[in-house]
Amino acid sequence: MTDQHVAHDHLSLTKIVATLGPASSDAASLRRLCEAGVSVVRFNFSHGDFQQHSERLKVVRQVEKEIGRPIAVLGDLPGPKIRVTKVEGDGIELRAGQDLTFRRELAVAIPGDVPVFGCTYEAIVDEALPGHRVLINDGAIRALVVEEGVDEIRCRVTTGGLVTTGKGVNLPDSDISAPAITERDWAVVDWAVEHQLDFLAMSFVRRAQEVRILKSKLSAMCVGDACGVSWDEGAASRIPVIAKIEKPQAVANIEEILEEADGIMVARGDLGVEMDLAQVPVTQKLLVMRAQAHGKPCIVATQMLESMIENASPTRAEVSDVANAIYDASDAVMLSGETAVGKYGALAVDMMRRVANATEQRLSELPHLEIEAKESRDRSSRTVALARGAWEIAGNLNAKLVACWSQNGETARRLSRMGFRIPVIAFSSDERAVRRMTLLYAVTPVLLPSPPEHRSDFAKLVEQFVLEHGMAQRGDTIVTLSGKPMGKPGASDSVTIQVLGQ
């Protein structure tokens, strides 16, 4: 029936995203990550060139075929990251109370009692006003603007440290006019469309309009179904856009951003620099809740198992962090340096999956209320009605799993948004749709060469698959959604109760 020989029963309902890098770009390392539980891999375009990413993509597709399970690729756009320009030697040490200057069009820093730095964002001298904070190296070095000039600003250091070439600069109090999408980003977008990436993550989003610009460009670039089916119902083909929430302005505008984006990522790295660190956990819970209400996937990222970059075991606090993100109903949790450069990438994935499985087991024992996502309130949608019915039936009958034929992923997305605490097995003959379903909570996507001709054939196919992969046993009850003709998008029109073996 299918060559999908890797067991599915060990995968968590919560998806795991792993960042690829020097420690995980060869086939053997990547295969270990995927077999440990990774469903989506992230390409960080802030590092490496297109040749390196092309080689990495070939490896992903090779491993995907070897393990017989779809692996999606999330391309992360660099965005308008502000950095210090060149600092010669070992860097310049700043101490508390010392002054420093940022000067327009300065290529190389000038050391001295009041060192002078250049910045990749020259408008910093216009937009960072007296009283505004200037944070360097992820907030490790802190200063306040005390004086502004025509082509420079003077800052006073409150927390010192070593400044070296390329260190990041954050301006949390300033109204930055830099475009959300840079020339480098547009080059990445072109490459992503050409190489058929499955998702694009947009960095430093502030407003919904910025997401609309990227979506419009993608729709114009994707002729016919070149980019797969859009996640906007009835819209043109394009790559789904994940908005990274890492600025206070994005948090303030989250409702309008969620209306436009296909999903969000809680990027806690820059978010923790740009806003009061004590507010980050509260903000994370708010963002996950709002994404859930809008029926959009949410990824929680940054430092989830950070200590496993160097250590074979995580801290207790990190394990609790992962579990809390899952308790909050995140669709996915992400590893960054742990898998990109870490010594124990596969162990980090395995730990994350084990925490997810343990947390999900506990959640399954608790009272379960239907999630009233915004899109599920569309009473005229047949797919929404079927998803709601399947949720009710599965709960009443203690069903082991739900299965559906979801040609373009729409039925799977609707089912995922109901918050099932059992697996949703989604079959399709569309390779792009199957890969994109890997990000959806609870959904296990399965690629088949073609749809079955009759519903009875589909029932037999489902039974054979779940029994072969140990996902259920004879005598278990499952719920099946299907339609006629099978394989036609939007054709689902029935819910069936099926007892395996009968």
Side-chain angles (χ1 to χ4, degrees):
M1 178 185 65
T2 173
D3 63 352
Q4 301 208 15
H5 56 272
V6 174
H8 292 265
D9 59 333
H10 79 296
L11 295 176
S12 57
L13 302 181
T14 306
K15 300 309 177 72
I16 298 175
V17 182
T19 303
L20 299 191
S24 51
S25 293
D26 63 282
S29 298
L30 178 58
R31 178 166 184 146
R32 285 193 291 271
L33 295 184
C34 294
E35 291 182 336
V38 167
S39 297
V40 181
V41 294
R42 170 179 171 252
F43 285 14
N44 185 357
F45 285 96
S46 293
H47 305 285
D49 56 32
F50 289 140
Q51 180 60 38
Q52 291 172 309
H53 291 299
S54 294
E55 293 300 320
R56 193 167 285 148
L57 183 60
K58 290 177 184 176
V59 173
V60 172
R61 297 309 180 210
Q62 171 194 334
V63 170
E64 181 183 51
K65 290 180 181 179
E66 290 176 358
I67 67 174
R69 183 164 58 81
I71 302 297
V73 177
L74 167 69
D76 197 336
L77 303 180
K81 182 71 174 179
I82 303 173
R83 298 185 184 276
V84 173
T85 55
K86 186 175 181 180
V87 181
E88 292 184 331
D90 295 330
I92 296 175
E93 185 75 32
L94 298 177
R95 65 183 186 278
Q98 181 181 10
D99 282 4
L100 67 104
T101 297
F102 278 99
R103 182 174 296 166
R104 197 193 311 270
E105 298 182 358
L106 183 67
V108 182
I110 304 171
D113 292 337
V114 181
V116 184
F117 295 93
C119 185
T120 57
Y121 182 58
E122 293 181 357
I124 185 175
V125 302
D126 304 310
E127 296 170 357
L129 305 177
H132 287 189
R133 288 171 292 166
V134 177
L135 310 179
I136 304 172
N137 191 18
D138 291 334
I141 302 168
R142 296 172 172 263
L144 287 174
V145 179
V146 294
E147 185 180 329
E148 59 181 329
V150 176
D151 289 313
E152 63 183 34
I153 53 172
R154 192 178 183 99
C155 309
R156 188 151 298 148
V157 178
T158 57
T159 303
L162 182 66
V163 181
T164 56
T165 300
K167 288 300 182 184
V169 178
N170 291 82
L171 305 169
D173 305 319
S174 307
D175 187 10
I176 302 301
S177 61
I181 308 176
T182 66
E183 291 184 11
R184 166 66 176 172
D185 290 335
W186 287 125
V188 172
V189 170
D190 289 339
W191 188 91
V193 171
E194 179 184 351
H195 290 80
Q196 299 187 349
L197 296 199
D198 303 295
F199 301 97
L200 281 174
M202 186 176 181
S203 298
F204 303 109
V205 173
R206 292 162 293 188
R207 294 173 289 272
Q209 176 62 21
E210 297 164 342
V211 180
R212 278 195 291 270
I213 291 171
L214 178 55
K215 286 170 58 180
S216 177
K217 175 76 169 180
L218 285 168
S219 296
M221 294 174 67
C222 297
V223 180
D225 62 351
C227 294
V229 177
S230 170
W231 276 14
D232 282 338
E233 194 169 0
S237 166
R238 66 169 176 79
I239 299 173
V241 175
I242 307 298
K244 292 171 66 178
I245 310 302
E246 47 195 337
K247 296 186 76 67
Q249 297 95 321
V251 176
N253 296 324
I254 191 59
E255 297 299 324
E256 66 173 45
I257 290 172
L258 279 165
E259 289 286 346
E260 287 295 333
D262 298 294
I264 63 171
M265 179 189 294
V266 185
R268 303 180 302 180
D270 277 281
L271 194 61
V273 174
E274 293 269 346
M275 65 189 304
D276 180 5
L277 195 58
Q279 291 297 320
V280 172
V282 179
T283 302
Q284 173 182 315
K285 290 180 181 295
L286 167 69
L287 294 174
V288 175
M289 181 179 68
R290 297 318 302 155
Q292 193 177 60
H294 281 260
K296 304 291 179 74
C298 180
I299 306 167
V300 174
T302 317
Q303 296 182 331
M304 301 214 80
L305 297 176
E306 180 88 352
S307 68
M308 291 193 74
I309 293 176
E310 296 291 340
N311 302 304
S313 296
T315 68
R316 277 65 171 168
E318 288 170 337
V319 169
S320 294
D321 182 36
V322 174
N324 277 319
I326 295 168
Y327 268 116
D328 291 341
S330 304
D331 292 79
V333 284
M334 193 177 96
L335 296 166
S336 299
E338 299 95 330
T339 52
V341 297
K343 298 177 181 178
Y344 304 99
L347 280 178
V349 175
D350 182 69
M351 174 58 68
M352 186 168 268
R353 176 186 55 79
R354 287 165 52 205
V355 173
N357 284 337
T359 307
E360 290 160 3
Q361 175 60 38
R362 176 55 183 153
L363 284 170
S364 70
E365 299 165 357
L366 301 175
H368 186 200
L369 300 176
E370 176 187 344
I371 296 174
E372 184 72 354
K374 185 175 181 180
E375 61 181 13
S376 73
R377 301 179 195 130
D378 181 4
R379 306 298 180 183
S380 63
S381 169
R382 184 169 62 185
T383 306
V384 169
L386 287 169
R388 293 170 68 97
W391 184 90
E392 189 74 34
I393 293 168
N396 290 342
L397 298 181
N398 196 27
K400 194 72 173 178
L401 56 84
V402 176
C404 66
W405 187 276
S406 186
Q407 185 63 19
N408 63 6
E410 176 65 18
T411 300
R413 287 198 299 276
R414 300 288 191 180
L415 289 169
S416 175
R417 303 276 48 88
M418 301 301 298
F420 280 94
R421 291 175 180 168
I422 55 175
V424 175
I425 316 301
F427 298 85
S428 174
S429 59
D430 185 327
E431 187 174 50
R432 300 291 294 277
V434 164
R435 285 179 181 147
R436 288 175 184 171
M437 285 189 268
T438 58
L439 186 60
L440 302 176
Y441 178 83
V443 175
T444 298
V446 180
L447 178 67
L448 293 179
S450 60
E453 189 171 348
H454 303 291
R455 285 174 175 160
S456 58
D457 297 327
F458 181 53
K460 293 176 184 176
L461 181 154
V462 171
E463 179 166 326
Q464 182 181 348
F465 182 88
V466 299
L467 291 176
E468 281 183 359
H469 290 82
M471 305 183 79
Q473 299 178 347
R474 294 183 182 277
D476 285 338
T477 298
I478 66 172
V479 177
T480 305
L481 281 74
S482 59
K484 187 177 181 181
M486 297 288 289
K488 179 182 177 181
S492 295
D493 61 3
S494 69
V495 179
T496 304
I497 301 167
Q498 185 174 342
V499 179
L500 300 179
Q502 294 185 11

